[in-house]
Amino acid sequence: MIRLPEINTDKLTDTLYALGWSTVKKLPEGAATALGRSLADTAWKRRGTGVRQLEANLARVVPDASPRRLAALSRAGMRSYMRYWMESFRLPAWSQERIRTAFAPEDVHHLTDGLKSDRGLILALPHMGNYDLAGVWVTTALNTPFTTVAQRLKPESLYDRFVAYREGLGMEVLPHTGGAAFGTLARRLRAGGLVCLVADRDLSSSGIPVKFFGEETKMPAGPAMLAVQTGAMLLPVTLWYDDTPVMRGRVYPEIEVPETGTRAEKAARMTQELADAFASGIADHPQDWHMLQRLWLADLERPRETP
């Protein structure tokens, strides 16, 4: 789910992330914040592939933005992205009280009511804000464990670090590759459990076509298909930062399973509703959408840029 920096060797990549978790969490908060902003500004000024793609993606979200406005949004976007990393490196050292007060979601009753229903509950999020913080808030403030899926990363040791990190925050983590993950998620939901999935970028060949900001792309079929097959509730969630240390968010009403149509048709309609909810939140807070990869089909069909 997370795009890695463009580093040449697997060993160096793993070492850098290990340093992040071992050193950044020891820094005073002000120093970590300043470091993150400095790194973000440096990356933005270099205008590498990720920054240029972020700006191209934001041009879809804010189509009437001037070049100056887009540049400001991409700079703010890189600062938001690096805030995510600085927070994530420090999360294991946060107290429970700090976690409880670090996230303030709106309309959280949709989530708490859903948890009481015992139907099983799926939270689907885009790459916004800090979904790890939102997840540990659920396990801490709501005392509710959940299951999620992680993209296989290279080297394998780096994937193991991410799994250990998230499991240390109270999450059950399944690998994205292989069909076994879907069956396990379905069992968790049928038992009344909670599943959280980042769902705005398809990493498989089975994505569902949707219209997103007026253009065609594909989004993962998993959230909607799980709801169709298990009867679990599907709730979109969006996250954003403001000028305070507290992350904000919104829990949307349930996307209900249509009464008519095949399973595939029902999942397609639900995934479009999910895309529409994501678009609403991203349009309100475009700088907090951390999409540094190609997403729309028109971009995916073009040859990849060279740095």
Side-chain angles (χ1 to χ4, degrees), residues 3 6 47-55 78 291-293:
R3 184 179 185 273
E6 296 167 356
R47 292 193 62 78
T49 303
V51 173
R52 296 197 304 272
Q53 187 60 58
L54 174 64
E55 211 161 280
M78 290 305 296
M291 186 55 66
L292 280 69
Q293 300 85 17

Side-chain angles (χ1 to χ4, degrees), residues 199-217:
D200 57 342
R201 180 170 174 251
D202 181 47
L203 297 174
S204 70
S205 59
S206 58
I208 293 179
V210 295
K211 283 282 189 178
F212 193 52
F213 290 102
E215 291 192 46
E216 291 185 358
T217 186

Side-chain angles (χ1 to χ4, degrees), residues 251-277:
V251 183
Y252 292 72
E254 178 185 2
I255 295 176
E256 297 183 357
V257 177
E259 294 183 359
T260 60
T262 65
R263 285 187 175 185
E265 290 168 344
K266 291 175 180 179
R269 293 202 291 273
M270 294 175 73
T271 303
Q272 182 62 63
E273 288 188 52
L274 189 62
D276 293 342

Side-chain angles (χ1 to χ4, degrees), residues 139-162:
T139 63
T140 302
L142 301 184
N143 195 31
T144 302
F146 66 87
T147 305
T148 188
V149 174
Q151 178 188 358
R152 280 283 187 187
L153 302 173
K154 293 182 179 180
E156 189 72 16
S157 56
L158 179 56
Y159 171 77
D160 292 340
R161 288 187 191 278
F162 272 100

Side-chain angles (χ1 to χ4, degrees), residues 54 57-58 60-62 69 73 125-129 199-201 212-213 219 237-240 250 252 274-291 295-296:
L54 174 64
N57 291 339
L58 290 170
R60 265 88 167 216
V61 177
V62 191
R69 169 66 172 150
L73 277 175
L125 307 87
H127 285 80
M128 289 186 77
D200 57 342
R201 180 170 174 251
F212 193 52
F213 290 102
M219 290 192 177
V237 178
T238 56
L239 309 170
W240 66 90
R250 180 185 175 193
Y252 292 72
L274 189 62
D276 293 342
F278 289 169
S280 174
I282 292 167
D284 288 341
H285 307 280
Q287 70 277 4
D288 293 309
W289 186 41
H290 306 153
M291 186 55 66
L295 179 72
W296 280 273

Side-chain angles (χ1 to χ4, degrees), residues 3 20 40 57 74 90 98 170 184 188 197 261 263 265 273:
R3 184 179 185 273
N57 291 339
S74 66
R90 291 170 57 79
R98 174 66 191 281
T184 302
R188 299 292 183 269
L197 300 171
R263 285 187 175 185
E265 290 168 344
E273 288 188 52

Side-chain angles (χ1 to χ4, degrees), residues 58-211:
L58 290 170
R60 265 88 167 216
V61 177
V62 191
D64 58 347
S66 66
R68 183 174 181 179
R69 169 66 172 150
L70 279 177
L73 277 175
S74 66
R75 184 175 190 177
M78 290 305 296
R79 288 182 173 184
S80 174
Y81 182 53
M82 199 54 64
R83 176 174 170 176
Y84 159 77
W85 279 111
M86 293 297 106
E87 286 181 348
S88 294
F89 287 141
R90 291 170 57 79
L91 267 178
W94 282 13
S95 68
Q96 290 193 353
E97 181 60 25
R98 174 66 191 281
I99 290 168
R100 290 189 185 97
T101 59
F103 180 39
E106 300 172 5
D107 299 325
V108 73
H109 66 90
H110 294 304
L111 170 56
T112 54
D113 290 348
L115 292 173
K116 294 174 185 175
S117 73
D118 292 327
R119 284 176 53 194
L121 184 61
I122 306 158
L123 298 181
L125 307 87
H127 285 80
M128 289 186 77
N130 187 340
Y131 36 83
D132 287 328
L133 172 56
V136 75
W137 182 87
V138 168
T139 63
T140 302
L142 301 184
N143 195 31
T144 302
F146 66 87
T147 305
T148 188
V149 174
Q151 178 188 358
R152 280 283 187 187
L153 302 173
K154 293 182 179 180
E156 189 72 16
S157 56
L158 179 56
Y159 171 77
D160 292 340
R161 288 187 191 278
F162 272 100
V163 170
Y165 158 66
R166 288 180 171 139
E167 288 181 343
L169 298 176
M171 312 174 193
E172 179 188 22
V173 183
L174 307 176
H176 180 269
T177 54
F182 188 92
T184 302
L185 294 173
R187 288 194 295 273
R188 299 292 183 269
L189 291 168
R190 290 191 177 103
L194 174 64
V195 165
C196 299
L197 300 171
V198 181
D200 57 342
R201 180 170 174 251
D202 181 47
L203 297 174
S204 70
S205 59
S206 58
I208 293 179
V210 295
K211 283 282 189 178

